[in-house]
Amino acid sequence: MSQINLEPLKDPQRFLDQQVLSETEIDAAIAAVVAKVKHNIVKLGETFPSSSTVNNAYVTTKNVEWTTGFWTGILWLCYEVTGDDHFRHLAEKNVVSFKARIDQEIDVDHHDLGFLYSPSCVSAYKLTGNPVAKAAALEAADKLMTRYNPKGQFIQAWGAQGSADNYRLIVDAMLNIPLLFWASEETGDEKYRDVATKHYATTLKYAIRDDASAFHTFYFDPVTGAPLGGKTRQGYSDDSSWARGQAWLIYGIALNYTRLRDDSDLPTYEAVTNYFLNRVPADMVSYWDLIFGDQDWQSKDSSATAIAVCGMQQMQRFIAADDPLHDVYAHAAAGMLRSLIRNYTEAETTGITALLNHGVYSWHSGRGVDEGNLWGDYFFLEALVRYKKDWQMYW
Ligand code: GLY
């Protein structure tokens, strides 16, 4: 990104026409989620749901892959809104599993330690002071630090550390670096914050195109650290914007601004958010890549919308009330969340059911296409909880 093209909103009135969400709507949506989570707990026991559904039902899995922390996060959110110890006790058992996972280094050689440990263990520590959760999350932060490449100044997403074929960042890591900020806050050691800040700056510099759309991934030269170019993995093409990637940027900038209050990020936030909103289709829920519109008959990615809503809710408090965007963004977020509630939540199985239907995990590999997924479920519930109360975030 050499210079941001701040695309104005094409039709702000369309968003202003969306009603704000009533307490009744939020309460009913949360009650429906809690009922489904109770139903799922009976089916899951102490196992975890798979990353995405198959024919609309999750299958059970061990604590592996990058998504299990979202299940534990859902349990913590349910505990917060109900006060029901049933959720807390299961979440605490999950915490023990997450401690074992990092101690035994089970499927942790990647950058997704924030996705795993913020909603499962930082949450547990913040809500209950659980020392095992704190220790697990700090170990995960230390592990994440090992993914940092000084040449290029970024956290490497996947693959053997330093390997040329994987010498790249991905925008998803915007939600992994909050674990590092938290680790500095807890330990007083600035090294975590330093790496997070460098990775963040590199992401903003290279993973956002001049038109404010997102590259999914961006490569660097492993010898010199020089920027090489952007490529997609989960988006439609190298020069399109994967909807979830754009949403990870919206939420990531909001989270970073919350901590660092760097006002130079404000136009960047506005640019990436407007790019997303200008491509929101008629029912307010994005297609899996922002290149698609209603004429293309593609799948929606409900999870991208849920993530964007959370990011917009987080950033809303920093936008001045007399800024015209304040109300436009507030109504846009409400309209998107209402559409998720009304159109994307019907239980479609008697098995382990998604809280949010019609997401896309990976279109190219055919995995989780037009299915529910755990992160969509988590961010949907997080968005609802953000409307319900003054939520102390897990990120
Ligand atoms: N972080 C992986 C994904 O969003 O699919």
Side-chain angles (χ1 to χ4, degrees):
M1 178 187 65
S2 47
Q3 193 186 0
I4 314 166
N5 171 27
L6 211 171
E7 186 177 272
L9 283 176
K10 289 183 184 135
D11 186 3
Q13 193 56 44
R14 174 185 173 213
F15 298 115
L16 287 167
D17 288 345
Q18 303 293 320
Q19 299 293 309
V20 295
L21 285 150
S22 70
E23 210 176 320
T24 312
E25 283 177 282
I26 294 296
D27 285 348
I30 289 178
V33 163
V34 168
K36 279 188 196 163
V37 174
K38 283 185 176 163
H39 164 92
N40 286 348
I41 288 173
V42 174
K43 307 257 173 193
L44 284 161
E46 290 177 29
T47 64
F48 290 83
S50 48
S51 297
S52 51
T53 60
V54 180
N55 297 326
N56 297 310
Y58 288 107
V59 295
T60 60
T61 165
K62 292 182 181 165
N63 190 353
V64 291
E65 294 197 60
W66 66 280
T67 50
T68 45
F70 294 120
W71 169 243
T72 312
I74 288 167
L75 296 175
W76 284 122
L77 289 170
C78 286
Y79 172 63
E80 283 205 63
V81 291
T82 63
D84 183 342
D85 280 336
H86 191 57
F87 295 113
R88 174 177 172 166
H89 292 148
L90 184 54
E92 283 170 341
K93 284 184 181 160
N94 283 190
V95 166
V96 174
S97 168
F98 276 100
K99 179 73 165 71
R101 179 167 174 176
I102 194 70
D103 285 344
Q104 295 163 32
E105 304 221 330
I106 298 166
D107 199 6
V108 290
D109 285 319
H110 51 70
H111 73 150
D112 285 324
L113 283 310
F115 282 125
L116 286 169
Y117 282 85
S118 296
S120 65
C121 290
V122 174
S123 52
Y125 175 61
K126 285 185 176 176
L127 289 170
T128 69
N130 184 325
V132 177
K134 179 182 178 185
L138 286 176
E139 282 174 54
D142 283 330
K143 182 75 181 169
L144 183 54
M145 290 287 282
T146 68
R147 304 291 302 178
Y148 181 67
N149 286 315
K151 278 186 187 148
Q153 302 204 324
F154 68 97
I155 293 168
Q156 186 181 320
W158 306 307
Q161 192 61 16
S163 58
D165 60 340
N166 263 308
Y167 208 73
R168 60 174 160 178
L169 61 78
I170 75 171
V171 288
D172 319 33
M174 295 287 262
L175 272 283
N176 284 322
I177 56 175
L179 181 67
L180 299 181
F181 282 110
W182 170 81
S184 273
E185 286 152 16
E186 279 307 313
T187 63
D189 189 334
E190 285 298 311
K191 70 181 180 189
Y192 305 99
R193 176 190 289 262
D194 183 50
V195 161
T197 307
K198 285 182 170 135
H199 176 88
Y200 177 77
T202 306
T203 304
L204 254 55
K205 190 166 178 192
Y206 296 114
I208 304 177
R209 302 186 189 93
D210 294 353
D211 68 355
S213 64
F215 284 119
H216 180 197
T217 88
F218 197 96
Y219 278 94
F220 299 85
D221 185 311
V223 178
T224 65
L228 294 180
K231 292 260 178 224
T232 201
R233 180 144 121 173
Q234 282 160 266
Y236 176 71
S237 67
D238 289 343
D239 54 8
S240 68
S241 183
W242 177 47
R244 198 155 69 248
Q246 193 81 21
W248 291 137
L249 273 181
I250 292 170
Y251 199 179
I253 295 171
L255 290 173
N256 204 72
Y257 187 81
T258 304
R259 286 192 156 98
L260 298 184
R261 306 292 167 95
D262 178 350
D263 286 347
S264 70
D265 285 351
L266 294 174
T268 313
Y269 171 77
E270 191 179 328
V272 300
T273 304
N274 286 5
Y275 189 94
F276 188 90
L277 291 179
N278 278 335
R279 287 151 187 84
V280 163
D283 84 344
M284 305 287 291
V285 174
S286 297
Y287 289 92
W288 67 274
D289 192 293
L290 299 181
I291 202 170
F292 299 122
D294 285 330
Q295 70 284 353
D296 296 311
W297 298 99
Q298 282 285 336
S299 296
K300 295 293 180 74
D301 181 9
S302 54
S303 74
T305 297
I307 294 159
V309 170
C310 289
M312 291 171 70
Q313 284 174 304
Q314 180 62 26
M315 199 64 179
Q316 197 58 13
R317 69 197 72 185
F318 304 117
I319 301 175
D322 60 355
D323 182 332
L325 279 178
H326 183 275
D327 285 357
V328 180
Y329 284 172
H331 285 258
M336 293 193 292
L337 186 52
R338 177 179 292 105
S339 183
L340 292 177
I341 295 168
R342 288 191 180 167
N343 306 318
Y344 291 79
T345 58
E346 191 72 23
E348 296 193 347
T349 175
T350 54
I352 306 165
T353 187
L355 309 180
L356 199 59
N357 306 315
H358 307 300
V360 172
Y361 185 171
S362 174
W363 185 80
H364 294 289
S365 69
R367 187 172 180 193
V369 175
D370 198 22
E371 295 280 353
N373 54 61
L374 263 190
W375 60 92
D377 289 0
Y378 170 82
F379 287 107
F380 174 58
L381 180 54
E382 183 189 300
L384 293 172
V385 173
R386 281 172 172 276
Y387 277 93
K388 176 73 187 160
K389 59 186 276 202
D390 182 19
W391 184 63
Q392 301 306 305
M393 63 181 187
Y394 305 159
W395 304 102

